[in-house]
Amino acid sequence: MTTHLDETGRTYAAEQPARLDWAKHAPEVYKAMVRLDIAARQGLDHTLYELVKIRASQINHCAFCIDMHTKDALAAGERVERIVQLSAWEESRHFYTDKEIAALELTEAVTVLTDGFVPDAVYENAARHFEEAELAQLLAAITTINAWNRFGVTCRMAPGHYQPGQYK
């Protein structure tokens, strides 16, 4: 890989090439993931949905998905400071509603299964803020973004090229 210059003359590291265009080689899986993603977002507040997708992607270090969902959230009117503070939401709780905090707690618990389970307190807090049908959709959204993240990270999908709404 070589470096490149931007318009100001700054030198940046070169973009890493993707390892695999998995969607091209597994088109039926890709189409099924898109359908799952569409189904998972049904009935969820769009802002909440994007916050969950950004947070899971931060945890999973999926730069492609962070880029995509940050751009989509901004295009939908999300405030920059809420996105910037998302990686430290526990110290920045005052930027989020109680319902969003419950969703972020659940996102982290489902995404990082280091203890092998989602703690009862986290699940019970989410259940207090979400009706059962909405909670099921939230779990589907969290699970779906985690699957997308695994494709993105493993295949080394490059951030920076996505345009808001490109895949809708």
Side-chain angles (χ1 to χ4, degrees), residues 55-75:
R55 185 63 191 129
S57 299
Q58 288 172 337
I59 294 165
N60 290 322
H61 303 280
C62 185
F64 181 85
C65 291
I66 293 168
D67 179 59
M68 174 190 296
H69 297 295
T70 297
K71 287 175 178 175
D72 282 345
L74 288 168

Side-chain angles (χ1 to χ4, degrees), residues 34 118 125 132:
V34 169
V118 173
N125 188 38
E132 285 186 344

Side-chain angles (χ1 to χ4, degrees), residues 20-55:
L20 176 69
D21 183 353
W22 75 271
K24 175 182 171 187
H25 297 289
E28 294 307 312
V29 176
Y30 177 77
K31 289 176 198 173
M33 284 295 299
V34 169
R35 288 190 305 272
L36 178 62
D37 196 77
I38 291 167
R41 78 176 73 148
Q42 299 302 310
L44 288 178
D45 174 76
H46 183 72
T47 299
L48 178 92
Y49 177 74
E50 291 298 341
L51 291 175
V52 163
K53 290 187 125 188
I54 295 166
R55 185 63 191 129

Side-chain angles (χ1 to χ4, degrees), residues 17-23 149-158:
R19 290 180 172 155
L20 176 69
D21 183 353
W22 75 271
N149 290 164
R150 269 90 178 139
F151 285 116
V153 170
T154 303
C155 296
R156 196 185 287 143
M157 295 171 67

Side-chain angles (χ1 to χ4, degrees), residues 123-151:
Y123 184 85
E124 290 163 5
N125 188 38
R128 278 192 296 278
H129 288 91
F130 293 88
E131 297 292 327
E132 285 186 344
E134 189 180 22
L135 182 56
Q137 291 299 130
L138 177 59
L139 287 170
I142 295 167
T143 300
T144 303
I145 189 57
N146 273 279
W148 283 120
N149 290 164
R150 269 90 178 139
F151 285 116

Side-chain angles (χ1 to χ4, degrees), residues 93-136:
R93 295 169 83 86
H94 59 284
F95 287 103
Y96 308 99
T97 67
D98 288 342
K99 188 172 185 176
E100 289 169 339
I101 290 169
L104 294 171
E105 287 172 342
L106 188 62
T107 299
E108 292 197 5
V110 171
T111 301
V112 184
L113 292 172
T114 54
D115 293 329
F117 62 92
V118 173
D120 289 341
V122 170
Y123 184 85
E124 290 163 5
N125 188 38
R128 278 192 296 278
H129 288 91
F130 293 88
E131 297 292 327
E132 285 186 344
E134 189 180 22
L135 182 56

